[in-house]
Amino acid sequence: EPEVTQTPSHQVTQMGQEVILRCVPISNHLYFYWYRQILGQKVEFLVSFYNNEISEKSEIFDDQFSVERPDGSNFTLKIRSTKLEDSAMYFCASSEGTLSYNEQFFGPGTRLTVL
Amino acid sequence: KNEVEQSPQNLTAQEGEFITINCSYSVGISALHWLQQHPGGGIVSLFMLSSGKKKHGRLIATINIQEKHSSLHVTASHPRDSAVYICAVTRGSRLTFGEGTQLTVNP
């Protein structure tokens, strides 16, 4: 069964460093998303991406964040200068069509620890 | 106030019991999703619905658009159903999540 994959599973970085989280969405899916979940808190939307551009972003997704689909398979989230409060689980997801009519498939997550 | 409220926050049941988790939302939505998060953190989509009722195995999800309310039922609960169940609503191209309900089913 097709699945969303994410690498790495765990990333440890120093405050101020740049990190890139990688995702491979399901191959025929057109919509891509990033979410984060701070330990003990609810899942929060970061950004949605369609047709090679951002569809929607949350107030969390400031200038420190960027997303890219560098080729036909990968979807990346870059955090330019990490802060302690960026420590969280980051989930990538994809859907075949819009969320009004399609379920979303989640990757296993990348646990980011900022020291 | 959260846009998506779930109750209860925690629920403990005995194996075989019928379980209900409730979700209320305060905004206009185009669809509602029920998700399951396992202890390892992985999230699995259980249902997406915009009206009526859906059933998959021992799980049933209902939604009442007029009352802005949805329920997730687990029939004949089993210890392997132990997980966090999350309600999320679709607004535009984003999901807005509830806090989740921690379900523990004891043998």
Side-chain angles (χ1 to χ4, degrees):
Chain A
E1 187 172 322
E3 58 181 16
V4 177
T5 59
Q6 289 186 243
T7 54
S9 56
H10 191 187
Q11 172 96 45
V12 181
T13 190
Q14 295 289 325
M15 190 170 56
Q17 294 296 305
E18 174 183 287
V19 294
I20 297 175
L21 309 183
R22 291 184 166 79
C23 168
V24 179
I26 294 173
S27 61
N28 65 332
H29 285 189
L30 300 177
Y31 293 77
F32 314 114
Y33 313 85
W34 283 101
Y35 298 92
R36 80 171 185 191
Q37 185 176 32
I38 295 170
L39 188 63
Q41 298 186 21
K42 67 180 179 180
V43 180
E44 300 173 290
F45 168 80
L46 290 177
V47 67
S48 58
F49 192 86
Y50 168 72
N51 200 27
N52 279 321
E53 58 183 35
I54 291 174
S55 303
E56 196 169 345
K57 59 183 181 179
S58 72
E59 48 285 348
I60 302 168
F61 194 89
D62 62 20
D63 292 343
Q64 293 298 316
F65 291 88
S66 62
V67 289
E68 194 179 29
R69 188 154 162 82
D71 53 40
S73 59
N74 290 282
F75 179 52
T76 61
L77 174 70
K78 181 193 290 186
I79 308 175
R80 285 190 185 82
S81 178
T82 50
K83 308 183 188 71
L84 295 176
E85 54 265 36
D86 293 327
S87 293
M89 182 77 95
Y90 288 81
F91 292 102
C92 173
S94 68
S95 62
E96 191 173 350
T98 66
L99 293 180
S100 300
Y101 304 103
N102 296 272
E103 68 176 302
Q104 202 162 88
F105 293 81
F106 288 80
T110 292
R111 181 166 299 284
L112 176 64
T113 303
V114 183
L115 303 175
Chain B
K1 186 181 187 296
N2 289 332
E3 292 180 342
V4 181
E5 298 274 0
Q6 286 185 237
S7 63
Q9 282 187 317
N10 294 283
L11 182 55
T12 301
Q14 288 300 122
E15 183 173 355
E17 285 185 0
F18 180 88
I19 289 157
T20 297
I21 299 170
N22 294 299
C23 175
S24 297
Y25 52 92
S26 57
V27 295
I29 68 169
S30 52
L32 184 142
H33 301 246
W34 280 102
L35 309 162
Q36 182 188 56
Q37 186 168 31
H38 290 282
I43 298 174
V44 174
S45 176
L46 298 175
F47 295 103
M48 190 211 68
L49 65 167
S50 53
S51 65
K53 176 178 173 178
K54 286 190 177 180
K55 185 175 189 293
H56 185 248
R58 294 180 294 104
L59 300 178
I60 303 168
T62 64
I63 187 168
N64 184 319
I65 296 292
Q66 286 74 30
E67 294 186 4
K68 292 187 165 63
H69 181 268
S70 175
S71 293
L72 176 69
H73 306 286
V74 183
T75 62
S77 59
H78 189 276
R80 64 175 174 266
D81 296 325
S82 298
V84 176
Y85 291 83
I86 303 171
C87 171
V89 298
T90 299
R91 300 188 68 205
S93 60
R94 67 166 71 186
L95 286 185
T96 300
F97 295 77
E99 303 276 352
T101 295
Q102 172 69 62
L103 171 65
T104 303
V105 183
N106 294 318

